[in-house]
Amino acid sequence: MNKVILMGRLTRDPDVRYSQGEQAMAIARFTLAVDRRFRREEQQADFINCVAFARQGEFIEKYAHQGTKLVVEGRIQTGSYTNKDGVKVYTTDVVVENCEFAESKAAAGSNESSFQTSRPEPVSAAGDGFMNIPDGVEDEGLPFN
């Protein structure tokens, strides 16, 4: 199985190009800075090259920029090519299959670096903190029956 999940920040704006032909496809290349968490006082990062195609590439182009914190799911792909000096160069990329924001827009705007999630209070919460079940909802559909 080849599966990777990363959370990190874009080191710079993504490089987006489009393939040629009738069905032009977005190809977004970017680097994520992913923190290592060995010791609190010594925070280091790995810089991981990623590539996103088609709809994921368009999403990256439209919404991601330097500093954006993303969660990326994909697979590792290796390759090689010969550069103009005749030297064989080996590459390792994460091919993005799914991509999501890892922080709110407000947190990104204030440059908060911590990943926080908050769950809103239910609109129709009773005084005991439990949500009232609306009329017409069948008990068979509830997961704990």
Side-chain angles (χ1 to χ4, degrees):
M1 177 185 293
N2 183 355
K3 185 90 161 169
V4 63
I5 299 173
L6 303 170
M7 182 170 63
R9 294 190 183 276
L10 267 71
T11 59
R12 62 180 175 273
D13 289 345
D15 176 29
V16 182
R17 299 178 185 194
Y18 283 83
S19 64
Q20 296 188 5
E22 290 181 29
Q23 301 282 334
M25 176 177 53
I27 303 168
R29 293 188 176 277
F30 57 96
T31 302
L32 279 183
V34 179
D35 290 337
R36 292 183 189 173
R37 299 209 183 240
F38 292 113
R39 295 187 189 128
R40 274 240 185 239
E41 65 274 357
E42 262 184 57
Q43 193 161 10
Q44 298 177 336
D46 291 302
F47 299 91
I48 301 172
N49 295 322
C50 301
V51 61
F53 297 97
R55 294 183 72 200
Q56 292 299 325
E58 291 168 4
F59 173 84
I60 295 293
E61 177 182 33
K62 189 171 184 180
Y63 298 110
H65 53 83
Q66 181 178 354
T68 302
K69 192 171 192 178
L70 297 176
V71 174
V72 169
E73 179 183 348
R75 61 186 164 81
I76 294 176
Q77 182 171 297
T78 60
S80 65
Y81 64 92
T82 303
N83 68 11
K84 62 183 177 183
D85 298 327
V87 177
K88 193 164 192 170
V89 179
Y90 295 93
T91 62
T92 302
D93 295 309
V94 172
V95 177
V96 176
E97 295 168 355
N98 190 23
C99 183
E100 298 179 15
F101 293 109
E103 67 185 355
S104 69
K105 193 172 186 178
S110 65
N111 290 328
E112 287 184 27
S113 62
S114 63
F115 176 62
Q116 299 175 353
T117 59
S118 62
R119 184 172 287 165
E121 286 294 317
V123 176
S124 59
D128 58 3
F130 289 96
M131 187 172 166
N132 293 323
I133 299 173
D135 293 334
V137 174
E138 297 296 322
D139 287 343
E140 297 88 41
L142 298 175
F144 44 82
N145 281 339

